[in-house]
Amino acid sequence: MAETVLVTGGMGYIGSHTTVEFLNKGYNVIIVDNLGNSSIEVLDGIYKICGQKPVFYNVDVTNYQQLSSVFKSHPEINSVIHFAAWKAVGESVEQPLKYYNNNLGGMSNLLQVMQENGCQNLVFSSSCTVYGQPDVLPVTEQAPIKEALSPYGFTKQVCETMIKDVIASNMSVRAIALRYFNPIGAHKSAEIGELPNGVPNNLIPFVTQTAYGIRKELMIFGDDYNTPDGTAVRDYIHVTDLALAHIAAIERLIESRNANDFEVFNVGTGTGNSVLEIVKTFEQVTAQKLNYKIVGRRAGDIEQVWADTAVAERELNWTAKLSLADSLESAWKWENNYRKNIEK
Ligand code: UFG
């Protein structure tokens, strides 16, 4: 019988792409999402890609009763992928309690409900933000966890610790935290993608919206970093590659191939690219000219980070396959498709 996976936050950017890959692999998917940063139309996009829809519950993971009743209605749930959380770094500085309530409260509830229902396997959506500015690059999973630069980053650190503590207390859960680097791009069909609210904070949606003419120009935050061209460097990973890492992680747990009850893996490409390289590659692959100007550094930004992916490759038998050009091309296709649809 097909395995059933519960995906919290499955309507969001990474959650929806992950849902698609699980459905394509023959899993049953149940989504719980409060639509706090997504919309119900995402289900149509998933349907267009997969020819089926996941089971969807408009449920907030911080609501114990609602979350519990989903598990009671679906005793077949034995694996959970936990995405549901707020994710804007800047907003978390302005409204820390919003982040603590949702990200930590949701994690706590989920662990409680999993325990009560004997649900065993958990994959948690963590972030390379837990490393801060690493002393050594590429950064390995052994790098020290540095003091978080934002409440958002702090919630990722605390959630990892919560999972570890609960497992140590003899709970029969085993978990994998995937530390994502910078997810970008969209499904190749352009039926789902990243949908930021308002003015995008992240680089790629700002780039595609600028190229489309919605934003006047891209501001590049700083060209005086200690990097080859002076702009900041990140490890940009295609969201579909990232989605596939979740399948590898869940299968490792289901097949009891995990070496420990709590494991962490870097999920990146292993390559760093600067902001200017992103701009140039985008211009090349899309034949669009991008207006940009260099401005001062953005507060809280780190200089450079990219992943050592050796452990994920070896243990998860997973590697990122899509190129930066693929990622940027898919992001541009998605922006165009999305705008065309809303302009109709
Ligand atoms: N950048 C610009 N102009 C913009 C937006 C971004 O120059 O308009 C630059 C940033 O300064 C940074 C790079 O592009 O150097 C990437 O910025 P993003 O905002 O896209 O991504 P971050 O690396 O800042 O943040 C991402 C995720 C966070 C996560 C963090 C971990 O958005 O959720 O990585 O490092 F916590």
Side-chain angles (χ1 to χ4, degrees), residues 87 89 127-129 152 180-183 200-204 206 218-222 225 232-234 236 275 298 301-303 305:
K87 61 170 187 178
V89 177
S127 166
C128 68
T129 192
Y152 160 79
Y180 311 152
F181 285 69
N182 287 49
N201 288 307
N202 293 118
L203 177 62
I204 305 307
F206 209 105
L218 169 72
M219 284 172 293
I220 296 184
F221 298 136
Y225 285 109
V233 169
R234 298 286 185 276
Y236 295 92
V275 180
R298 183 170 67 178
D301 266 353
I302 58 167
E303 184 168 87
V305 65

